Amino acid sequence: MMKTPILLVEDNPDDEALTLRALKKNKILNDVVVAHDGVEALDYLFGTGVHAGRDASAPPQLVLLDLNLPRLGGLDVLRRIRDDDRTKLLAVVILTSSREEEDIVRSYSLGANSFVRKPVEFDEFMQAVKTLGLYWLLLHEPAPLPRRTP
């Protein structure tokens, strides 16, 4: 069975490296596509801009979305994902260092499937990624893709 990719939307190089290391160490075999800002994430999802020509009918299995991003913030990315029929059912997990209650409320209000604070300690982060992978990639039953109309 082909593993569909994970879209990691993260602008911090250290957090990106840590997340990729945690996924690999926890034997999560999905390819990981990294977008470094909100615009690049939407380009990947919709096959536009730097990802023009990508088959947008093949979405990632999971989006790990940071909130504090350059060019277009994570909440705006989430809003656009939920506003489009092609992506509105996509699993989106907010993975952020934000401790703001307002960010949690707004994330869920906009349709986030989960909100996870990035643990500061390495071992805790590794465990968090392992748990995310087990649930979202193995146990979670994704919504069926929308049917294309001819």
Side-chain angles (χ1 to χ4, degrees), residues 67 75 94 96-109 115 117:
L67 291 182
L75 292 173
I94 304 299
T96 185
S97 56
S98 173
R99 301 236 178 254
E100 298 296 322
E101 187 174 308
E102 181 180 338
D103 285 340
I104 297 169
V105 171
R106 289 181 66 206
S107 294
Y108 283 121
S109 294
F115 188 100
R117 286 191 185 108

Side-chain angles (χ1 to χ4, degrees), residues 31 33 43 65 71 78 107 118 137 141 148:
D31 287 335
V33 175
D43 282 347
L65 179 62
R71 297 205 297 165
L78 179 59
S107 294
K118 295 176 191 170
L137 301 173
E141 185 69 35
R148 287 200 253 178

Side-chain angles (χ1 to χ4, degrees), residues 37-139:
D37 61 53
V39 172
E40 190 179 341
L42 293 175
D43 282 347
Y44 177 79
L45 290 170
F46 298 115
T48 57
V50 296
H51 293 282
R54 187 189 87 74
D55 182 4
S57 69
Q61 185 169 347
L62 175 66
V63 177
L64 298 175
L65 179 62
D66 191 13
L67 291 182
N68 301 312
L69 298 167
R71 297 205 297 165
L72 186 67
L75 292 173
D76 291 320
V77 172
L78 179 59
R79 183 179 293 109
R80 291 193 189 175
I81 288 171
R82 293 301 183 236
D83 285 346
D84 193 291
D85 286 340
R86 297 170 293 176
T87 55
K88 70 180 178 184
L89 300 177
L90 189 59
V92 178
V93 173
I94 304 299
L95 183 61
T96 185
S97 56
S98 173
R99 301 236 178 254
E100 298 296 322
E101 187 174 308
E102 181 180 338
D103 285 340
I104 297 169
V105 171
R106 289 181 66 206
S107 294
Y108 283 121
S109 294
L110 291 170
N113 296 94
S114 186
F115 188 100
V116 177
R117 286 191 185 108
K118 295 176 191 170
V120 176
E121 297 296 321
F122 177 75
D123 290 338
E124 291 175 8
F125 188 85
M126 295 297 271
Q127 185 59 43
V129 170
K130 179 179 182 179
T131 302
L132 282 171
L134 286 174
Y135 179 76
W136 289 104
L137 301 173
L138 296 176
L139 299 174

